[in-house]
Amino acid sequence: GVAMVITWVTDFTYVPALIAVWLGYTAFTIYSGSRGVILTDTLMFLLFATIGVAAVFFIIDSAGGWFSAVAELANFEPRPGIIGTEGYTGPGLSWATPADMWTWAIIFGLAWGVVFAISPWQSSRYLMARNEHVVIRSACITILIMSVLWTTVYMAGPVIALLNPDVEPSNNAMIWAANNAMPTIVGATLLAGIVAAGLSSASTFLTLIGFAISNDVIESEADDAHRLRMSRITIFGVGITVLALANVLPPDVFWITWFVATMFAAVWGPIAFMSVWSRRVTESGAFWGLIAGFLGYTVPRTLVGFDLITLPAILDPLIIGFFLSLVTILVMSARTQVTPEETEFLDTIHVPPKELHDAAASRRTLIWPKIMIVWGLFLSAALVVIYTRPYQLATGAVSEAGPCLLYTSPSPRDCN
């Protein structure tokens, strides 16, 4: 993805840009370690969250303002229904019916809730945090910020289509906006934020791979120098593999991210929770549960991706993988025994750290969930005012005096 950005804003072709990105990101990860990755992740988040909202402001301003953009997009001829459910449901579209779309949306939300809880790029940060209170507070603050960022950035795509319906490829939309719909300094900073996000993702996954090798695979008796050397060799080898794949696979960044990230919810989700809260899960149950979940997710997802099969929304590959993993864990664990060492280890991870007994720190932590509740109510009401109502007025679903029609298939009855 970052290589594509470089090709769009420089004279580099794809392969030299890909090699440059791989070399820079790999070298940074090998020599910075987890501390360096944490620093760049934090800077990236602050940069991208700030410039992301600012960039959307300029994009929407170029389209005449928020309410004008919503009204125009509600009746956008080149892409009917681009900001409504009807633009994504029906024959030949993403979902057959609105019910399918909302089923997918609920699955999507639940899956990402699991991903945020147990994914390695998240849990590795929790392990390095100062204490449990920092984990909870930072998670709440991040969600508050992301609710604003998602609401605005997801609106930017349709507005860019309004400004230029012919942006090709579609992945280039934000790059086009950076060059044409905002001041130069804002556009340049936005591109820097995108490249920083790429560095954050790449370095995070590479360090996790290196850590898995040095901590979980190499013998415990090995010294630190040997662990570090093998970790770096692994990172380099994985980087070379990804470099080769990126040369031959179509760079559809969104769907690659969707495929891989949600895979963790299906494959890792059941065992991640059960290994903490169940006393009956065994090593065999965990191992075969991971295998079953991986196959249960990747096989149908691949078949659907190549249009070889179709599945109803309720049988999303994520659901299939999750339940196959869960059933396999239960069956294999029932056939094997938990060892005394495993029971002892489980007991140790349920010993609460001392800081959880700090009443003052707990009161400060509990402020943030309350703020989230208030913000959630406010944002829901705000979306009705700034999105739902203007959209319905523009499409004729309601009049200024109030609702004036009932939806009938295939089109709504005219208010007049």
Side-chain angles (χ1 to χ4, degrees), residues 243-292:
L243 179 65
L245 290 173
N247 267 299
V248 297
L249 293 178
D252 196 337
V253 180
F254 176 82
W255 287 110
I256 291 174
T257 303
W258 166 247
F259 183 98
V260 175
T262 52
M263 179 177 68
F264 282 98
V267 180
W268 206 335
I271 192 58
F273 290 104
M274 295 175 72
S275 62
V276 175
W277 299 108
S278 173
R279 290 186 170 274
R280 293 182 291 180
V281 173
T282 65
E283 180 182 357
S284 295
F287 176 82
W288 289 109
L290 291 172
I291 297 296

Short mmCIF file of all heavy atoms in Angstrom, two decimals, residues 243-292:
data_model
loop_
_atom_site.label_atom_id
_atom_site.label_comp_id
_atom_site.label_asym_id
_atom_site.label_seq_id
_atom_site.Cartn_x
_atom_site.Cartn_y
_atom_site.Cartn_z
N LEU A 243 7.81 -9.32 0.29
CA LEU A 243 8.25 -8.54 -0.88
C LEU A 243 7.93 -9.30 -2.16
O LEU A 243 7.43 -8.72 -3.14
CB LEU A 243 9.75 -8.27 -0.78
CG LEU A 243 10.39 -7.49 -1.94
CD1 LEU A 243 9.83 -6.08 -2.00
CD2 LEU A 243 11.91 -7.44 -1.77
N ALA A 244 8.20 -10.60 -2.17
CA ALA A 244 7.90 -11.41 -3.36
C ALA A 244 6.40 -11.47 -3.63
O ALA A 244 5.95 -11.34 -4.77
CB ALA A 244 8.49 -12.82 -3.19
N LEU A 245 5.61 -11.67 -2.56
CA LEU A 245 4.16 -11.75 -2.73
C LEU A 245 3.58 -10.42 -3.23
O LEU A 245 2.68 -10.40 -4.06
CB LEU A 245 3.50 -12.14 -1.41
CG LEU A 245 3.75 -13.57 -0.93
CD1 LEU A 245 3.19 -13.78 0.47
CD2 LEU A 245 3.11 -14.56 -1.90
N ALA A 246 4.11 -9.31 -2.71
CA ALA A 246 3.60 -8.00 -3.10
C ALA A 246 3.87 -7.70 -4.57
O ALA A 246 3.21 -6.85 -5.17
CB ALA A 246 4.22 -6.91 -2.23
N ASN A 247 4.83 -8.41 -5.16
CA ASN A 247 5.12 -8.22 -6.58
C ASN A 247 4.12 -8.90 -7.48
O ASN A 247 3.98 -8.54 -8.64
CB ASN A 247 6.53 -8.75 -6.90
CG ASN A 247 7.59 -7.68 -6.82
OD1 ASN A 247 7.53 -6.69 -7.55
ND2 ASN A 247 8.54 -7.85 -5.93
N VAL A 248 3.43 -9.91 -6.94
CA VAL A 248 2.54 -10.70 -7.80
C VAL A 248 1.07 -10.58 -7.42
O VAL A 248 0.20 -10.82 -8.26
CB VAL A 248 2.95 -12.20 -7.79
CG1 VAL A 248 4.34 -12.37 -8.37
CG2 VAL A 248 2.89 -12.78 -6.38
N LEU A 249 0.77 -10.20 -6.17
CA LEU A 249 -0.63 -10.10 -5.74
C LEU A 249 -1.17 -8.72 -6.06
O LEU A 249 -0.45 -7.73 -5.98
CB LEU A 249 -0.74 -10.35 -4.24
CG LEU A 249 -0.41 -11.76 -3.75
CD1 LEU A 249 -0.52 -11.82 -2.23
CD2 LEU A 249 -1.35 -12.78 -4.37
N PRO A 250 -2.45 -8.63 -6.43
CA PRO A 250 -3.05 -7.31 -6.64
C PRO A 250 -3.10 -6.54 -5.33
O PRO A 250 -3.56 -7.08 -4.31
CB PRO A 250 -4.45 -7.64 -7.16
CG PRO A 250 -4.72 -9.03 -6.69
CD PRO A 250 -3.39 -9.73 -6.66
N PRO A 251 -2.65 -5.29 -5.31
CA PRO A 251 -2.55 -4.55 -4.04
C PRO A 251 -3.87 -3.95 -3.60
O PRO A 251 -4.04 -2.73 -3.53
CB PRO A 251 -1.53 -3.46 -4.39
CG PRO A 251 -1.73 -3.22 -5.85
CD PRO A 251 -2.12 -4.54 -6.46
N ASP A 252 -4.84 -4.79 -3.30
CA ASP A 252 -6.14 -4.33 -2.80
C ASP A 252 -6.06 -4.28 -1.28
O ASP A 252 -6.41 -5.23 -0.58
CB ASP A 252 -7.25 -5.28 -3.26
CG ASP A 252 -8.62 -4.65 -3.11
OD1 ASP A 252 -8.74 -3.72 -2.29
OD2 ASP A 252 -9.56 -5.07 -3.83
N VAL A 253 -5.59 -3.14 -0.76
CA VAL A 253 -5.19 -3.05 0.64
C VAL A 253 -6.36 -3.29 1.59
O VAL A 253 -6.24 -3.99 2.59
CB VAL A 253 -4.53 -1.69 0.92
CG1 VAL A 253 -4.12 -1.57 2.38
CG2 VAL A 253 -3.33 -1.50 0.01
N PHE A 254 -7.52 -2.71 1.27
CA PHE A 254 -8.65 -2.82 2.19
C PHE A 254 -9.05 -4.28 2.39
O PHE A 254 -9.23 -4.74 3.52
CB PHE A 254 -9.84 -2.01 1.67
CG PHE A 254 -11.08 -2.17 2.51
CD1 PHE A 254 -11.25 -1.43 3.66
CD2 PHE A 254 -12.07 -3.09 2.16
CE1 PHE A 254 -12.37 -1.59 4.46
CE2 PHE A 254 -13.20 -3.25 2.94
CZ PHE A 254 -13.35 -2.49 4.09
N TRP A 255 -9.21 -5.00 1.29
CA TRP A 255 -9.70 -6.37 1.41
C TRP A 255 -8.63 -7.31 1.97
O TRP A 255 -8.96 -8.30 2.63
CB TRP A 255 -10.22 -6.87 0.07
CG TRP A 255 -11.51 -6.22 -0.26
CD1 TRP A 255 -11.76 -5.30 -1.24
CD2 TRP A 255 -12.76 -6.39 0.43
NE1 TRP A 255 -13.07 -4.90 -1.21
CE2 TRP A 255 -13.71 -5.54 -0.20
CE3 TRP A 255 -13.17 -7.15 1.52
CZ2 TRP A 255 -15.03 -5.44 0.24
CZ3 TRP A 255 -14.48 -7.07 1.95
CH2 TRP A 255 -15.39 -6.23 1.31
N ILE A 256 -7.35 -7.02 1.74
CA ILE A 256 -6.29 -7.81 2.37
C ILE A 256 -6.36 -7.63 3.88
O ILE A 256 -6.28 -8.59 4.66
CB ILE A 256 -4.91 -7.40 1.83
CG1 ILE A 256 -4.78 -7.83 0.36
CG2 ILE A 256 -3.79 -8.03 2.67
CD1 ILE A 256 -3.51 -7.35 -0.30
N THR A 257 -6.54 -6.36 4.31
CA THR A 257 -6.64 -6.08 5.74
C THR A 257 -7.86 -6.76 6.35
O THR A 257 -7.79 -7.37 7.43
CB THR A 257 -6.73 -4.56 5.97
OG1 THR A 257 -5.61 -3.92 5.37
CG2 THR A 257 -6.77 -4.24 7.45
N TRP A 258 -8.99 -6.67 5.64
CA TRP A 258 -10.22 -7.30 6.13
C TRP A 258 -10.03 -8.81 6.24
O TRP A 258 -10.45 -9.44 7.21
CB TRP A 258 -11.37 -6.95 5.21
CG TRP A 258 -12.60 -7.79 5.39
CD1 TRP A 258 -13.13 -8.67 4.51
CD2 TRP A 258 -13.47 -7.83 6.53
NE1 TRP A 258 -14.26 -9.26 5.02
CE2 TRP A 258 -14.49 -8.76 6.27
CE3 TRP A 258 -13.47 -7.17 7.76
CZ2 TRP A 258 -15.50 -9.04 7.17
CZ3 TRP A 258 -14.49 -7.48 8.67
CH2 TRP A 258 -15.49 -8.39 8.37
N PHE A 259 -9.39 -9.42 5.25
CA PHE A 259 -9.19 -10.86 5.24
C PHE A 259 -8.33 -11.29 6.42
O PHE A 259 -8.66 -12.22 7.16
CB PHE A 259 -8.52 -11.27 3.92
CG PHE A 259 -8.34 -12.76 3.76
CD1 PHE A 259 -9.24 -13.51 3.02
CD2 PHE A 259 -7.26 -13.41 4.34
CE1 PHE A 259 -9.07 -14.88 2.87
CE2 PHE A 259 -7.08 -14.78 4.20
CZ PHE A 259 -7.99 -15.51 3.46
N VAL A 260 -7.20 -10.62 6.61
CA VAL A 260 -6.23 -11.06 7.61
C VAL A 260 -6.66 -10.71 9.02
O VAL A 260 -6.61 -11.54 9.93
CB VAL A 260 -4.84 -10.45 7.30
CG1 VAL A 260 -3.85 -10.79 8.42
CG2 VAL A 260 -4.33 -10.94 5.96
N ALA A 261 -7.11 -9.45 9.23
CA ALA A 261 -7.43 -9.02 10.59
C ALA A 261 -8.59 -9.80 11.18
O ALA A 261 -8.54 -10.25 12.34
CB ALA A 261 -7.72 -7.52 10.60
N THR A 262 -9.65 -9.97 10.40
CA THR A 262 -10.80 -10.70 10.93
C THR A 262 -10.51 -12.19 11.10
O THR A 262 -11.21 -12.87 11.85
CB THR A 262 -12.03 -10.53 10.02
OG1 THR A 262 -11.68 -10.87 8.68
CG2 THR A 262 -12.52 -9.09 10.05
N MET A 263 -9.49 -12.67 10.40
CA MET A 263 -9.10 -14.07 10.59
C MET A 263 -8.73 -14.34 12.04
O MET A 263 -9.00 -15.43 12.57
CB MET A 263 -7.93 -14.40 9.67
CG MET A 263 -7.42 -15.83 9.79
SD MET A 263 -6.08 -16.18 8.63
CE MET A 263 -4.78 -15.14 9.31
N PHE A 264 -8.14 -13.35 12.72
CA PHE A 264 -7.76 -13.56 14.11
C PHE A 264 -8.99 -13.77 14.99
O PHE A 264 -8.95 -14.53 15.96
CB PHE A 264 -6.95 -12.37 14.62
CG PHE A 264 -5.52 -12.39 14.17
CD1 PHE A 264 -5.12 -11.65 13.08
CD2 PHE A 264 -4.58 -13.15 14.83
CE1 PHE A 264 -3.80 -11.67 12.66
CE2 PHE A 264 -3.26 -13.19 14.42
CZ PHE A 264 -2.87 -12.44 13.32
N ALA A 265 -10.09 -13.09 14.67
CA ALA A 265 -11.31 -13.27 15.46
C ALA A 265 -11.82 -14.70 15.33
O ALA A 265 -12.27 -15.31 16.31
CB ALA A 265 -12.38 -12.29 15.01
N ALA A 266 -11.75 -15.25 14.12
CA ALA A 266 -12.24 -16.61 13.89
C ALA A 266 -11.29 -17.66 14.43
O ALA A 266 -11.72 -18.64 15.06
CB ALA A 266 -12.46 -16.83 12.39
N VAL A 267 -10.00 -17.47 14.19
CA VAL A 267 -9.02 -18.50 14.51
C VAL A 267 -8.60 -18.43 15.97
O VAL A 267 -8.56 -19.44 16.68
CB VAL A 267 -7.78 -18.35 13.59
CG1 VAL A 267 -6.74 -19.41 13.92
CG2 VAL A 267 -8.19 -18.45 12.14
N TRP A 268 -8.29 -17.24 16.42
CA TRP A 268 -7.68 -17.05 17.73
C TRP A 268 -8.72 -16.70 18.79
O TRP A 268 -8.49 -16.85 19.99
CB TRP A 268 -6.66 -15.92 17.64
CG TRP A 268 -5.55 -15.97 18.64
CD1 TRP A 268 -5.58 -16.56 19.86
CD2 TRP A 268 -4.25 -15.40 18.49
NE1 TRP A 268 -4.37 -16.38 20.49
CE2 TRP A 268 -3.54 -15.68 19.68
CE3 TRP A 268 -3.62 -14.68 17.49
CZ2 TRP A 268 -2.23 -15.25 19.88
CZ3 TRP A 268 -2.33 -14.26 17.69
CH2 TRP A 268 -1.63 -14.54 18.86
N GLY A 269 -9.89 -16.17 18.36
CA GLY A 269 -10.87 -15.68 19.31
C GLY A 269 -11.28 -16.66 20.39
O GLY A 269 -11.16 -16.37 21.59
N PRO A 270 -11.78 -17.86 20.02
CA PRO A 270 -12.24 -18.78 21.06
C PRO A 270 -11.16 -19.17 22.05
O PRO A 270 -11.37 -19.10 23.27
CB PRO A 270 -12.71 -20.00 20.25
CG PRO A 270 -13.06 -19.45 18.90
CD PRO A 270 -12.06 -18.36 18.66
N ILE A 271 -9.99 -19.54 21.56
CA ILE A 271 -8.95 -20.02 22.48
C ILE A 271 -8.36 -18.87 23.29
O ILE A 271 -7.92 -19.06 24.43
CB ILE A 271 -7.84 -20.78 21.72
CG1 ILE A 271 -6.93 -21.52 22.70
CG2 ILE A 271 -7.03 -19.85 20.84
CD1 ILE A 271 -7.65 -22.50 23.59
N ALA A 272 -8.37 -17.65 22.73
CA ALA A 272 -7.83 -16.51 23.48
C ALA A 272 -8.61 -16.28 24.76
O ALA A 272 -8.04 -16.04 25.83
CB ALA A 272 -7.85 -15.26 22.61
N PHE A 273 -9.93 -16.38 24.69
CA PHE A 273 -10.75 -16.20 25.88
C PHE A 273 -10.77 -17.45 26.75
O PHE A 273 -10.70 -17.36 27.99
CB PHE A 273 -12.18 -15.81 25.48
CG PHE A 273 -12.28 -14.43 24.90
CD1 PHE A 273 -12.44 -14.24 23.53
CD2 PHE A 273 -12.20 -13.31 25.71
CE1 PHE A 273 -12.53 -12.97 23.00
CE2 PHE A 273 -12.29 -12.04 25.18
CZ PHE A 273 -12.45 -11.86 23.82
N MET A 274 -10.88 -18.61 26.12
CA MET A 274 -10.99 -19.84 26.90
C MET A 274 -9.70 -20.18 27.63
O MET A 274 -9.74 -20.77 28.73
CB MET A 274 -11.39 -21.00 25.98
CG MET A 274 -12.79 -20.83 25.38
SD MET A 274 -13.20 -22.12 24.17
CE MET A 274 -13.43 -23.52 25.28
N SER A 275 -8.57 -19.82 27.07
CA SER A 275 -7.30 -20.12 27.74
C SER A 275 -7.14 -19.32 29.03
O SER A 275 -6.33 -19.68 29.89
CB SER A 275 -6.13 -19.83 26.80
OG SER A 275 -6.10 -18.46 26.46
N VAL A 276 -7.91 -18.23 29.16
CA VAL A 276 -7.86 -17.43 30.37
C VAL A 276 -8.96 -17.82 31.35
O VAL A 276 -8.75 -17.88 32.56
CB VAL A 276 -7.97 -15.93 30.03
CG1 VAL A 276 -8.04 -15.08 31.30
CG2 VAL A 276 -6.80 -15.49 29.16
N TRP A 277 -10.14 -18.14 30.82
CA TRP A 277 -11.30 -18.31 31.69
C TRP A 277 -11.77 -19.76 31.85
O TRP A 277 -12.67 -20.02 32.65
CB TRP A 277 -12.46 -17.47 31.16
CG TRP A 277 -12.13 -16.01 31.15
CD1 TRP A 277 -11.89 -15.23 30.08
CD2 TRP A 277 -11.97 -15.17 32.30
NE1 TRP A 277 -11.59 -13.94 30.47
CE2 TRP A 277 -11.63 -13.88 31.83
CE3 TRP A 277 -12.07 -15.38 33.68
CZ2 TRP A 277 -11.40 -12.81 32.68
CZ3 TRP A 277 -11.84 -14.30 34.53
CH2 TRP A 277 -11.51 -13.04 34.03
N SER A 278 -11.21 -20.69 31.12
CA SER A 278 -11.63 -22.08 31.25
C SER A 278 -10.53 -22.92 31.88
O SER A 278 -9.35 -22.77 31.54
CB SER A 278 -11.98 -22.66 29.87
OG SER A 278 -12.22 -24.05 29.95
N ARG A 279 -10.91 -23.79 32.78
CA ARG A 279 -9.95 -24.69 33.42
C ARG A 279 -9.89 -26.05 32.72
O ARG A 279 -9.18 -26.94 33.16
CB ARG A 279 -10.30 -24.89 34.90
CG ARG A 279 -10.06 -23.64 35.74
CD ARG A 279 -10.27 -23.91 37.22
NE ARG A 279 -9.80 -22.78 38.02
CZ ARG A 279 -8.53 -22.62 38.42
NH1 ARG A 279 -7.63 -23.53 38.09
NH2 ARG A 279 -8.19 -21.58 39.14
N ARG A 280 -10.66 -26.22 31.65
CA ARG A 280 -10.72 -27.52 30.99
C ARG A 280 -10.04 -27.55 29.63
O ARG A 280 -9.97 -28.59 28.99
CB ARG A 280 -12.18 -27.96 30.86
CG ARG A 280 -12.84 -28.25 32.20
CD ARG A 280 -14.26 -28.72 32.03
NE ARG A 280 -15.13 -27.65 31.54
CZ ARG A 280 -16.43 -27.80 31.29
NH1 ARG A 280 -17.00 -28.98 31.47
NH2 ARG A 280 -17.15 -26.78 30.86
N VAL A 281 -9.56 -26.42 29.16
CA VAL A 281 -8.89 -26.38 27.86
C VAL A 281 -7.49 -26.96 27.97
O VAL A 281 -6.73 -26.60 28.86
CB VAL A 281 -8.81 -24.93 27.33
CG1 VAL A 281 -7.98 -24.86 26.06
CG2 VAL A 281 -10.20 -24.39 27.07
N THR A 282 -7.18 -27.86 27.06
CA THR A 282 -5.86 -28.50 27.05
C THR A 282 -5.02 -28.01 25.88
O THR A 282 -5.50 -27.31 24.99
CB THR A 282 -6.01 -30.02 26.94
OG1 THR A 282 -6.59 -30.33 25.66
CG2 THR A 282 -6.91 -30.56 28.05
N GLU A 283 -3.76 -28.40 25.89
CA GLU A 283 -2.86 -28.00 24.80
C GLU A 283 -3.35 -28.55 23.46
O GLU A 283 -3.33 -27.85 22.45
CB GLU A 283 -1.45 -28.51 25.09
CG GLU A 283 -0.44 -28.14 24.02
CD GLU A 283 0.95 -28.69 24.31
OE1 GLU A 283 1.13 -29.30 25.38
OE2 GLU A 283 1.84 -28.49 23.46
N SER A 284 -3.81 -29.81 23.44
CA SER A 284 -4.31 -30.39 22.20
C SER A 284 -5.55 -29.66 21.71
O SER A 284 -5.73 -29.41 20.51
CB SER A 284 -4.64 -31.88 22.40
OG SER A 284 -3.47 -32.62 22.68
N GLY A 285 -6.44 -29.30 22.65
CA GLY A 285 -7.62 -28.56 22.27
C GLY A 285 -7.28 -27.23 21.65
O GLY A 285 -7.86 -26.82 20.63
N ALA A 286 -6.31 -26.53 22.24
CA ALA A 286 -5.89 -25.24 21.70
C ALA A 286 -5.27 -25.39 20.33
O ALA A 286 -5.61 -24.65 19.38
CB ALA A 286 -4.90 -24.58 22.66
N PHE A 287 -4.38 -26.36 20.16
CA PHE A 287 -3.67 -26.54 18.89
C PHE A 287 -4.63 -26.87 17.76
O PHE A 287 -4.65 -26.21 16.72
CB PHE A 287 -2.61 -27.63 19.04
CG PHE A 287 -1.89 -27.94 17.76
CD1 PHE A 287 -0.85 -27.16 17.33
CD2 PHE A 287 -2.29 -29.02 16.97
CE1 PHE A 287 -0.19 -27.44 16.14
CE2 PHE A 287 -1.64 -29.31 15.78
CZ PHE A 287 -0.58 -28.52 15.37
N TRP A 288 -5.46 -27.87 17.98
CA TRP A 288 -6.37 -28.29 16.91
C TRP A 288 -7.50 -27.30 16.70
O TRP A 288 -8.04 -27.17 15.59
CB TRP A 288 -6.92 -29.69 17.20
CG TRP A 288 -5.86 -30.74 17.05
CD1 TRP A 288 -5.26 -31.46 18.04
CD2 TRP A 288 -5.24 -31.14 15.82
NE1 TRP A 288 -4.30 -32.29 17.52
CE2 TRP A 288 -4.27 -32.12 16.15
CE3 TRP A 288 -5.39 -30.78 14.49
CZ2 TRP A 288 -3.46 -32.73 15.20
CZ3 TRP A 288 -4.60 -31.40 13.53
CH2 TRP A 288 -3.66 -32.35 13.88
N GLY A 289 -7.85 -26.55 17.74
CA GLY A 289 -8.82 -25.48 17.57
C GLY A 289 -8.31 -24.40 16.64
O GLY A 289 -9.05 -23.89 15.79
N LEU A 290 -7.04 -24.06 16.78
CA LEU A 290 -6.43 -23.07 15.88
C LEU A 290 -6.41 -23.58 14.44
O LEU A 290 -6.72 -22.83 13.51
CB LEU A 290 -5.00 -22.76 16.34
CG LEU A 290 -4.85 -21.98 17.66
CD1 LEU A 290 -3.39 -21.92 18.07
CD2 LEU A 290 -5.42 -20.58 17.52
N ILE A 291 -6.06 -24.83 14.27
CA ILE A 291 -6.01 -25.41 12.92
C ILE A 291 -7.40 -25.41 12.29
O ILE A 291 -7.59 -25.00 11.14
CB ILE A 291 -5.45 -26.84 12.96
CG1 ILE A 291 -4.01 -26.85 13.48
CG2 ILE A 291 -5.53 -27.49 11.58
CD1 ILE A 291 -3.02 -26.12 12.59
N ALA A 292 -8.40 -25.87 13.05
CA ALA A 292 -9.76 -25.95 12.52
C ALA A 292 -10.30 -24.56 12.20
O ALA A 292 -10.95 -24.35 11.17
CB ALA A 292 -10.67 -26.65 13.53
#
